[in-house]
Amino acid sequence: MFLPTTIKEVRARGWDELDVILFTGDAYIDHPAFGAAVIGRLLEAEGYRVAIVPQPNWRDDLRDFTKLGAPRLFFGVSAGAMDSMVNHYTANLRLRHDDAYTPGGKAGFRPDYAVTVYTQILKRLYPHVPVVIGGIEASLRRLTHYDYWSNTLKPSVLIESGADLLTYGMGERVIPEVARAMRNGFNAKLLRKLRQVSFVADEAYVSRLDPATTIRLHSFEECRDDRRAFGDNFTVIETQSNLLEPDVTLVESVGDRCVVVTPPHATLTTGEIDRSFDLPYERAPHPRYAGKGAIPAWEMIKFSVNIHRGCFGGCSFCTISAHQGKFISSRSERSVLAEVERIVKMPDFKGYLSDVGAPSANMYRMGGRNRDLCRQCRRPSCLHPKRCPNLDNDHRPLLDLYARIRAVKGIKKAFIGSGIRYDLFDGSPYLETVLKHHTSGRLKVAPEHTEENVLRLMRKPPFAMFEALNADFRRFCKQEALPYQLIPYFISSHPGCTERDMRALAQKVLGKLHFTLEQVQDLTPTPMTLSSVMFYTGENPYTHEKVCVARSQEEKRRQKSYFFKR
């Protein structure tokens, strides 16, 4: 059964009360790729009565916010799988005309700053019911952040929304802990002891924290008045979020209040991530959407399998490590193969998996050889500026998994649609295996730029590595008579990138290598990334080196135009 979304569905289960009601900016798709479904199923497995209100109407009489009444424990609020502002606007601040997480791909079914809007409505209607916010929008706005769409620094989303508690990162451990702590009502003392939460407290509470495990960040006001203070905060936040065994609480003042962020949980074990993926999902959109058009995000992933979480690449513009963590949490072969077999039984499956992937396709079961060295490490990336000598980048476990997936009855082809890190190959037969068995005709990789000064700020490998990959790709395809294409991604307007750099990119990629670019992107500075900090401050916060920034839409347009100049 799907989790209920209406009072009729609640009563059909024989319930006269709900424990938790989840609000999300996405349509409800009961599948492990969609956060509200995961959280709902996790709580259901713990014995709680859970309902989901997808894409509530915030512009009418607010009946969507009242139709299920008040839950016994708390309301949970998420903007959905994307930050609502990224979902709504292009990099040049134009309103998008579609929404991949809505039936028919229609836009306009969620507000700007959805977490804040939903929470403020719930607190106004039910002032005594706790509201817990989470998901990507809340997670990456948990402290002072640069908001590209308003071109301002904003305080923690806790301050603007009025939420009682924020959970950040992935929710498998923390959400059940929150529910247990609220079993007998809102218990601030218990909730504040949890890991991976954030809340607002007064100075009296902060003064009682252990100074040995507490870091006072610059206040919101100091960050607003001094861009370097904001940059310094970021270096602390990023460093602490990338530790193997974090134990530091962060405190940031906003006026006479303090935003407190407790340390994150350690990486999920294989058993824990398996349990999350093994929950009894319907693996389909809720029947309420019948006849309303396809949901593009669902169509894209319905025949795909996610094999791990986390990414140790540490790219400056990416939020994966800030939200999922730097250390890899891999599913077992059993769990992955069980999901593949479930997909094979889907009535419209034709034998083709669209993606066996993850944030970076080829990091499955990779990590440090010596975990004691990992405990001491403070690097944001295991690959930049050079690959860590302690990193075990053995592709054999992944290649074995691919072979077992190919052997599943009913699988004709299992494609790799996720981005591949070619700086991990190191003599592995991975490229040849992917080209032989797992390519649909196009292999996607992300060099992002050609110029070393820009790549250094992006935390990406030298362009020479892409040139070597391109040569290997062409040689192998010629040898095997494969009519495949290599599809590189590039970014314009990244901090540190000038028109001269874009001209050089065009000469190398369009001229020397003869690529016709399709996958190009103008940088969108998203909250809690190094790129957004450099965009706002005009300097690298780690070195205080000044970097040029293309801020105006005209500057950004000119940089992007080089992708199409020969």
Side-chain angles (χ1 to χ4, degrees):
M1 295 175 65
F2 287 87
L3 297 172
T5 64
T6 65
I7 193 66
K8 182 179 178 181
E9 293 170 10
V10 171
R11 288 172 178 161
R13 289 200 172 204
W15 297 345
D16 56 6
E17 184 182 38
L18 290 162
D19 297 314
V20 179
I21 302 174
L22 304 175
F23 285 80
T24 175
D26 293 341
Y28 170 31
I29 301 170
D30 199 44
H31 184 277
F34 298 87
V38 175
I39 298 305
R41 291 298 187 184
L42 282 167
L43 290 169
E44 178 189 53
E46 297 280 325
Y48 298 103
R49 293 164 295 183
V50 186
I52 294 181
V53 181
Q55 298 186 317
N57 191 335
W58 73 100
R59 291 175 291 199
D60 61 3
D61 59 3
L62 306 181
R63 69 187 67 181
D64 284 343
F65 292 87
T66 60
K67 64 182 182 181
L68 300 181
R72 186 175 66 88
L73 299 183
F74 62 89
F75 289 112
V77 170
S78 167
M82 294 175 67
D83 184 289
S84 58
M85 302 307 285
V86 178
N87 179 280
H88 278 176
Y89 299 95
T90 66
N92 63 2
L93 303 177
R94 291 182 179 174
L95 189 65
R96 298 185 193 274
H97 298 295
D98 56 2
D99 183 339
Y101 295 87
T102 302
K106 297 177 181 177
F109 283 78
R110 79 185 79 215
D112 287 357
Y113 306 108
V115 166
T116 296
V117 172
Y118 293 163
T119 302
Q120 288 178 345
I121 290 171
L122 289 168
K123 293 306 291 184
R124 188 166 70 247
L125 294 173
Y126 302 98
H128 303 298
V129 179
V131 176
V132 179
I133 58 178
I136 193 79
E137 181 167 299
S139 180
L140 301 184
R141 295 173 182 264
R142 59 187 181 263
L143 290 161
T144 296
H145 56 280
Y146 173 63
D147 183 73
Y148 172 64
W149 301 271
S150 63
N151 193 29
T152 61
L153 279 192
K154 284 180 171 284
S156 166
V157 68
L158 279 165
I159 299 296
E160 293 199 328
S161 70
D164 299 278
L165 191 73
L166 181 155
T167 66
Y168 64 93
M170 308 308 287
E172 275 87 351
R173 282 194 186 134
V174 64
I175 289 295
E177 290 176 347
V178 168
R180 286 192 288 271
M182 290 196 192
R183 187 169 290 163
N184 296 313
F186 187 88
N187 189 323
K189 187 174 181 181
L190 283 178
L191 290 166
R192 291 177 174 185
K193 289 180 179 179
L194 299 180
R195 281 180 170 264
Q196 212 165 304
V197 300
S198 182
F199 51 87
V200 178
D202 56 21
E203 284 288 349
Y205 173 83
V206 172
S207 67
R208 297 192 295 270
L209 295 175
D210 182 358
T213 56
T214 304
I215 295 178
R216 282 298 289 253
L217 300 169
H218 293 292
S219 69
F220 165 70
E221 290 78 14
E222 288 174 310
C223 293
R224 185 186 56 196
D225 298 338
D226 180 359
R227 296 188 180 208
R228 181 161 291 183
F230 174 60
D232 290 344
N233 272 11
F234 174 81
T235 63
V236 175
I237 296 164
E238 184 180 49
T239 299
Q240 292 300 317
S241 68
N242 283 324
L243 298 180
L244 179 61
E245 296 177 348
D247 61 357
V248 169
T249 295
L250 301 178
V251 177
E252 183 182 78
S253 299
V254 183
D256 60 355
R257 296 182 289 174
C258 297
V259 175
V260 180
V261 180
T262 65
H265 279 292
T267 307
L268 291 177
T269 65
T270 294
E272 288 173 318
I273 193 171
D274 281 358
R275 178 175 180 266
S276 178
F277 279 87
D278 292 346
L279 292 169
Y281 303 98
E282 291 289 338
R283 302 186 66 85
H286 190 278
R288 64 189 284 148
Y289 304 119
K292 295 184 179 180
I295 302 173
W298 162 243
E299 296 300 322
M300 184 174 68
I301 63 90
K302 66 190 293 186
F303 300 134
S304 69
V305 181
N306 189 312
I307 60 175
H308 79 251
R309 293 229 192 99
C311 178
F312 50 72
C315 298
S316 300
F317 47 83
C318 184
T319 60
I320 291 169
S321 63
H323 187 62
Q324 294 192 8
K326 181 177 78 170
F327 296 93
I328 303 301
S329 178
S330 298
R331 296 172 65 184
S332 68
E333 282 193 354
R334 178 212 58 80
S335 177
V336 172
L337 293 170
E339 184 171 5
V340 170
E341 289 169 355
R342 285 195 293 272
I343 292 173
V344 167
K345 294 175 183 176
M346 292 174 69
D348 51 348
F349 181 67
K350 305 298 183 184
Y352 299 93
L353 293 178
S354 58
D355 187 20
V356 178
S360 288
N362 56 320
M363 291 184 179
Y364 182 72
R365 291 195 182 176
M366 292 186 184
R369 294 183 180 89
N370 184 336
R371 300 294 276 185
D372 288 334
L373 292 179
C374 291
R375 289 184 180 90
Q376 302 169 36
C377 180
R378 299 173 71 83
R379 286 174 52 172
S381 170
C382 301
L383 298 175
H384 189 271
K386 291 184 178 180
R387 192 167 66 222
C388 175
N390 186 46
L391 179 65
D392 180 3
N393 61 316
D394 186 359
H395 282 79
R396 283 177 296 183
L398 181 54
L399 294 175
D400 290 343
L401 177 62
Y402 287 170
R404 294 193 67 182
I405 290 172
R406 293 197 301 270
V408 172
K409 186 177 180 180
I411 296 296
K412 297 177 182 177
K413 198 88 169 183
F415 298 122
I416 310 301
S418 301
I420 291 171
R421 292 292 302 224
Y422 51 84
D423 47 350
L424 284 171
F425 288 175
D426 200 25
S428 163
Y430 182 79
L431 176 62
E432 290 84 352
T433 301
V434 168
L435 290 176
K436 275 185 178 179
H437 301 291
H438 302 286
T439 301
S440 61
R442 294 179 149 204
L443 183 69
K444 301 174 185 177
V445 294
E448 308 295 11
H449 215 284
T450 60
E451 303 311 288
E452 179 54 35
N453 59 301
V454 183
L455 291 168
R456 175 174 54 83
L457 292 171
M458 288 179 165
R459 294 180 181 155
K460 295 293 290 186
F463 189 65
M465 294 189 74
F466 172 77
E467 292 178 299
L469 169 72
N470 184 48
D472 290 342
F473 177 89
R474 293 180 183 278
R475 173 188 54 77
F476 187 81
C477 287
K478 183 177 181 181
Q479 173 186 314
E480 300 292 325
L482 299 172
Y484 291 168
Q485 287 181 290
L486 186 63
I487 306 296
Y489 293 168
F490 292 95
I491 291 178
S492 62
S493 304
H494 190 276
C497 179
T498 64
E499 281 197 53
R500 179 181 298 176
D501 295 318
M502 293 304 299
R503 187 179 300 113
L505 184 155
Q507 290 169 349
K508 293 177 181 178
V509 176
L510 304 178
K512 177 183 174 184
L513 298 179
H514 305 293
F515 277 95
T516 300
L517 295 184
E518 300 174 15
Q519 305 291 340
V520 297
Q521 185 175 343
D522 188 10
L523 176 76
T524 299
T526 50
M528 205 175 277
T529 62
L530 175 59
S531 298
S532 72
V533 174
M534 292 190 290
F535 183 91
Y536 176 70
T537 64
E539 68 177 31
N540 183 336
Y542 286 95
T543 63
H544 300 306
E545 159 200 7
K546 297 295 181 185
V547 296
C548 60
V549 178
R551 286 197 176 88
S552 74
Q553 294 304 319
E554 176 57 25
E555 289 176 298
K556 292 163 76 70
R557 186 197 63 76
R558 288 201 305 269
Q559 286 211 15
K560 191 171 183 179
S561 71
Y562 281 94
F563 285 131
F564 310 103
K565 292 182 179 180
R566 288 194 175 277

